[in-house]
Amino acid sequence: MAINVPWVTLRGCDKPMPVIGLGTSSYPPADHATTKAAILEAIKLGYRHFDTAFAYGSERAVGAAIAEALRLGLVASRHELFVTTKLWATFADPGQIVAACKMSLQNLGLEYVDMYLIHLPVRLTEQIRAVPVAAEVVKSLDVEGAWGAMEECKKLGLTRGIGVSNFSSKMIEHLVAIATIPPALNQVEMNTGWQQKQLRDTCEAKGVHVTAYSPLGANNTKWGDARILRSQLLAAIAQAKGRTPAQVGLRWIYEQKVSMVVKSFNGERMKENLGIFDWCLDGGDLEKIRLQIPQRKAVTLASIFGPHPLILELDRELTN
Ligand SMILES: NC(=O)c1ccc[n+]([C@@H]2O[C@H](COP(=O)([O-])OP(=O)(O)OC[C@H]3O[C@@H](n4cnc5c(N)ncnc54)[C@H](OP(=O)(O)O)[C@@H]3O)[C@@H](O)[C@H]2O)c1
């Protein structure tokens, strides 16, 4: 039977969002058929939120899976699903953003997405052909201009909500101060091994919801590792609760009032990751997780673009 996932209300977004979404960025990139089949399986299990991005190359597979799910009657209407996609850095010039959103909608075969995010606080003047990218290609983001264009996407009905990803506390404070439509959420790396307390406090104070990406530490990817899934502390808590370390890690995120996008294309693990809503962690467990797990950020902009001065400066800001 499909599991019912709680939904969270977001400021400035016309629709609530399921607190667990299925991530669709896979490493190495999965082919179209594999991604589509995983999403269909996820819908059968109860996932209603799908996290994609122009940069992941998974928008077409997400769209194809949604069309198939509707055809098969797995969901009664598009409105039952929540689709997030993201503006890639090469389209982050204000004049290109509405067109980039329309391009993502075309890839998805949808009339609107539920959440459109600025993927990164940086702009590139051309597509990445090799890493590191040439230094002159990397530019700082015109936040006012870009956000104005994001607001336009919402006003045109291309998206139900708008937000950001990989923004620091300072960037969130600046954005909230200049926004007419406030950012609904900030999607950032967060897990028991990178707890983001300060950023979460800033976002809460500014009314910006936080969504955790790489909630299990992105095991088996170029940037992540198994330190969460193999944590002795999480394993001990899991054993005492009759759960798995992955479920303890995801439940901890949920108890911080943070939503998450978790990637698994394996049916058993997808189901396991939904099993976090009918039990809770003890106060002592929460305290041990807070104090005893070594903290390290896995995703850096330098690993994506190269060690350019602007990129290193952004990484420093995002790691503080
Ligand atoms: N906004 C951004 O800049 C950004 C950056 C990174 C990621 N994201 C989004 O966040 C999503 C999730 O992050 P992520 O993919 O980096 O990492 P993640 O969800 O923390 O971990 C995914 C890895 O864990 C494995 N896994 C999943 N559930 C498991 C379980 N219960 N037990 C053991 N292994 C399990 C998966 O393998 P199997 O598939 O084999 O189960 C996969 O190798 C992405 O897919 C993407 O949508 C966003």
Side-chain angles (χ1 to χ4, degrees), residues 20 192 215-216 245-255 258 260 262 272-274 276:
I20 284 197
T192 52
L216 294 174
Q247 288 175 323
V248 172
L250 298 179
R251 176 74 201 184
W252 176 82
I253 292 173
Y254 178 60
E255 291 195 16
V258 167
M260 65 205 85
V262 57
E272 177 185 335
N273 295 343
L274 289 180
I276 65 164

Side-chain angles (χ1 to χ4, degrees), residues 231-304:
S231 155
Q232 287 185 3
L233 175 61
L234 297 192
I237 298 171
Q239 196 178 23
K241 292 273 172 199
R243 301 285 162 175
T244 67
Q247 288 175 323
V248 172
L250 298 179
R251 176 74 201 184
W252 176 82
I253 292 173
Y254 178 60
E255 291 195 16
Q256 310 312 305
K257 300 189 172 53
V258 167
S259 59
M260 65 205 85
V261 284
V262 57
K263 181 264 168 183
S264 178
F265 283 3
N266 170 285
E268 281 308 309
R269 289 190 286 277
M270 281 184 207
K271 198 168 156 190
E272 177 185 335
N273 295 343
L274 289 180
I276 65 164
F277 298 113
D278 55 352
W279 58 284
C280 60
L281 291 163
D282 302 333
D285 296 336
L286 293 169
E287 197 61 0
K288 283 184 197 154
I289 291 172
R290 185 172 75 81
L291 295 171
Q292 293 179 16
I293 299 190
Q295 297 296 298
R296 185 176 68 79
K297 182 165 173 35
V299 180
T300 65
L301 298 179
S303 67
I304 306 172

Side-chain angles (χ1 to χ4, degrees), residues 25 51 56 165-166 187 214 216 218-219 263-265 269 273:
S25 156
D51 183 72
Y56 304 161
S165 180
N166 298 296
Q187 185 185 110
S214 302
L216 294 174
N219 188 31
K263 181 264 168 183
S264 178
F265 283 3
R269 289 190 286 277
N273 295 343

Side-chain angles (χ1 to χ4, degrees), residues 180-233:
T180 305
I181 301 173
L185 62 84
N186 186 16
Q187 185 185 110
V188 293
E189 180 182 346
M190 182 188 150
N191 50 55
T192 52
W194 186 243
Q195 298 185 4
Q196 297 269 32
K197 177 76 172 94
Q198 194 209 333
L199 179 65
R200 284 190 277 127
D201 287 347
T202 303
C203 286
E204 190 182 356
K206 296 292 169 189
V208 177
H209 177 76
V210 175
T211 299
Y213 74 69
S214 302
L216 294 174
N219 188 31
N220 285 331
T221 67
K222 195 164 62 172
W223 55 93
D225 55 41
R227 75 203 151 96
I228 290 167
L229 293 169
R230 296 219 186 111
S231 155
Q232 287 185 3
L233 175 61

